[in-house]
């Protein structure tokens, strides 16, 4: 639903002048339901479990900027355990989707954490991500490139980069 930008579509529809009260009520109900679903799917515990299992997929939390903004401090727990696991996935992962999501998540961390660029660089992730820029899968290559761009430019200058 997030990938298809359904929340934005609902907001756009709500902004139009509708004379049908039932339609407006339905749009409000749909918007509330979407918000509740996104909150349930976007909890950091669910994310952490997914990362620790090493089987990443494009679940809503990965692309939700609110998730990253609200949970960025959790990434500091246990000496950046989640970031270290993401970097390990880059070395050991074989599933192209998992590799692409790991690169994307590292780029999100770089963008949203005030010291993200330095932390990822200190953990020696640059070399691992650069190897993936030549991967046979286009999705992996694209997200590795995004991660490297954010790593080189930092959040201040790379905030305009879109996935």
């Amino acid at each position: 639903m997030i990938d298809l930008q359904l929340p934005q579509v609902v907001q756009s529809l709500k902004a139009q002048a509708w004379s049908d009260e039932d339609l407006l009520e339905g749009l409000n109900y749909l918007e509330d339901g979407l918000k509740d679903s996104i909150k349930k799917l976007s909890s950091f515990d669910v994310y952490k479990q997914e990362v620790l299992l090493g089987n990443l997929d494009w679940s809503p939390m990965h692309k939700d900027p609110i998730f990253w903004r609200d949970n960025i401090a959790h990434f500091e727990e246990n000496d950046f355990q989640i970031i270290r696991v993401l970097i390990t996935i880059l070395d050991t992962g074989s599933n192209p989707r998992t590799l692409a999501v790991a690169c994307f998540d590292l780029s999100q961390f770089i963008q949203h954490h005030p010291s993200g660029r330095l932390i990822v660089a200190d953990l020696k992730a640059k070399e691992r991500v650069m190897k993936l820029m030549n991967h046979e899968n286009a999705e992996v290559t694209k997200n590795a490139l995004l991660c490297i761009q954010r790593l080189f430019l930092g959040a201040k200058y790379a905030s305009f980069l879109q996935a």
Side-chain angles (χ1 to χ4, degrees):
M1 291 184 290
I2 290 176
D3 286 344
L4 297 174
Q5 300 179 343
L6 188 56
Q8 291 88 337
V9 170
V10 171
Q11 285 185 350
S12 175
L13 288 171
K14 282 181 61 178
Q16 296 178 17
W18 299 102
S19 59
D20 186 351
E21 293 295 325
D22 290 337
L23 180 61
L24 287 173
E25 185 179 321
L27 288 171
N28 286 330
Y29 179 77
L30 182 58
E31 183 179 44
D32 292 342
L34 284 170
K35 286 179 183 177
D36 289 344
S37 295
I38 290 170
K39 283 181 185 176
K40 288 176 188 171
L41 293 173
S42 297
S43 77
F44 187 77
D45 293 332
V46 173
Y47 175 81
K48 184 177 179 180
Q49 188 68 25
E50 184 180 331
V51 171
L52 293 177
L53 289 174
N55 190 17
L56 303 174
D57 202 355
W58 292 114
S59 54
M61 63 199 107
H62 296 280
K63 293 196 173 190
D64 183 8
I66 296 169
F67 168 80
W68 288 96
R69 186 185 66 228
D70 292 348
N71 292 294
I72 199 67
H74 290 295
F75 286 87
E76 297 176 7
E77 296 171 357
N78 298 323
D79 194 31
F80 298 96
Q81 176 190 23
I82 297 299
I83 299 303
R84 292 175 188 278
V85 172
L86 286 171
I87 293 169
T88 302
I89 289 171
L90 298 179
D91 284 335
T92 61
S94 58
N95 181 336
R97 173 139 315 146
T98 297
L99 293 171
V101 174
C103 287
F104 182 81
D105 286 358
L106 283 174
S107 74
Q108 292 297 302
F109 176 77
I110 293 166
Q111 180 180 358
H112 289 90
H113 193 281
S115 302
R117 180 175 166 226
L118 297 172
I119 292 164
V120 171
D122 286 347
L123 294 174
K124 312 268 189 268
K126 181 177 77 170
E127 296 81 16
R128 294 168 174 138
V129 176
M130 288 188 81
K131 287 179 188 174
L132 294 175
M133 289 175 56
N134 294 325
H135 197 274
E136 67 235 12
N137 183 286
E139 184 180 30
V140 174
T141 303
K142 173 186 159 189
N143 286 290
L145 178 60
L146 176 67
C147 186
I148 289 297
Q149 287 173 328
R150 287 189 174 150
L151 189 58
F152 284 148
L153 296 175
K156 180 177 177 184
Y157 300 105
S159 62
F160 63 90
L161 297 173
Q162 297 296 318

